[in-house]
Amino acid sequence: MGKLKTPIFIIIAILIIDQSLKIWVKTNMMLGEEFSVIGNWFYIHFVENNGMAFGMELGGDWGKIFLSVFRIVAVTGIGWYLYKLSCKGAPKGLIISVSMVLAGALGNIIDSMFYGMIFSHSYSQIAALFPDGGGYAPFLHGRVVDMFYFPLITGHYPEWFPVLGGQEFIFFRPVFNIADSSITLGIISIFVFQKQYFKEEKAID
């Protein structure tokens, strides 16, 4: 159990931060509402999505169910892999990175599984937690809460640009959450340090 202390701590810490912020946004803001945190390039902007990280979606009810089931299967696999890594004393950086990926996946799964059941909708109103009439969607049909928006660079595509000529350009357009960030940072860390991580892991084997 001692070897699992680090991943358990990381997962719990990320889940607490992720869910606390999502619940605050959900119970204090209407869908589409925003406020500036730093100037014109960092906003808390409340959106919800039915799908994957950074607002990407897999459409329809069946797409939603498929994605939710896929997430659960993936989290089970990642959890087992993390358990095996921890038990055999894999590099700490690898354990931390996989823990971040698992925590982020769990954070968004919680939204999908339960938010539809415990919250009322957020369209033109601030959602209520555990509303009398029940939630806005059944089990596995909840929407993921996103809030971080960084329109660092804004402008317009030149008129000669194919298809998008003259349209507004925003970087970075996607709205995301703590869970998305955790997954992304964990994967980037594994990719950047893969030679070090897996060289040490082979040495342990």
Side-chain angles (χ1 to χ4, degrees):
M1 185 64 183
K3 293 182 178 180
L4 296 174
K5 285 183 179 179
T6 296
I8 289 174
F9 174 79
I10 291 170
I11 291 167
I12 291 176
I14 291 173
L15 283 177
I16 289 174
I17 296 170
D18 176 65
Q19 290 300 309
S20 296
L21 182 55
K22 286 174 177 176
I23 291 171
W24 184 88
V25 167
K26 186 73 175 168
T27 56
N28 286 273
M29 300 176 68
M30 292 185 292
L31 197 63
E33 189 175 355
E34 69 178 20
F35 62 87
S36 172
V37 178
I38 302 177
N40 293 321
W41 61 270
F42 177 22
Y43 291 87
I44 296 297
H45 178 80
F46 177 25
V47 299
E48 293 179 314
N49 75 79
N50 291 315
M52 298 169 280
F54 298 101
M56 295 181 288
E57 296 198 6
L58 192 63
D61 287 342
W62 284 108
K64 176 65 177 175
I65 293 173
F66 171 80
L67 185 59
S68 296
V69 172
F70 174 79
R71 280 175 170 163
I72 293 169
V73 172
V75 161
T76 302
I78 295 170
W80 176 250
Y81 180 58
L82 179 59
Y83 173 77
K84 299 296 286 185
L85 288 176
S86 300
C87 288
K88 67 181 182 180
K92 193 168 185 178
L94 179 58
I95 290 174
I96 291 172
S97 298
V98 176
S99 298
M100 291 175 66
V101 173
L102 179 58
L106 283 170
N108 285 336
I109 283 177
I110 290 172
D111 295 29
S112 296
M113 292 177 70
F114 302 115
Y115 274 29
M117 300 170 64
I118 66 173
F119 286 110
S120 58
H121 70 80
S122 297
Y123 297 102
S124 302
Q125 67 174 19
I126 294 175
L129 181 61
F130 301 117
D132 291 337
Y136 65 81
F139 183 63
L140 291 179
H141 283 74
R143 294 186 288 271
V144 177
V145 174
D146 294 323
M147 75 291 294
F148 293 133
Y149 179 42
F150 290 89
L152 300 177
I153 302 173
T154 60
H156 290 80
Y157 290 98
E159 294 294 338
W160 52 263
F161 199 88
V163 182
L164 300 176
Q167 295 185 29
E168 185 180 25
F169 169 83
I170 300 176
F171 180 86
F172 178 73
R173 185 182 291 272
V175 183
F176 58 99
N177 56 41
I178 293 290
D180 297 334
S181 303
S182 181
I183 293 170
T184 302
L185 291 174
I187 291 174
I188 289 174
S189 176
I190 293 171
F191 178 77
V192 171
F193 299 106
Q194 58 179 313
K195 291 184 179 179
Q196 177 183 337
Y197 289 165
F198 295 105
K199 181 180 179 180
E200 291 181 32
E201 190 181 355
K202 286 180 181 178
I204 293 170
D205 292 340

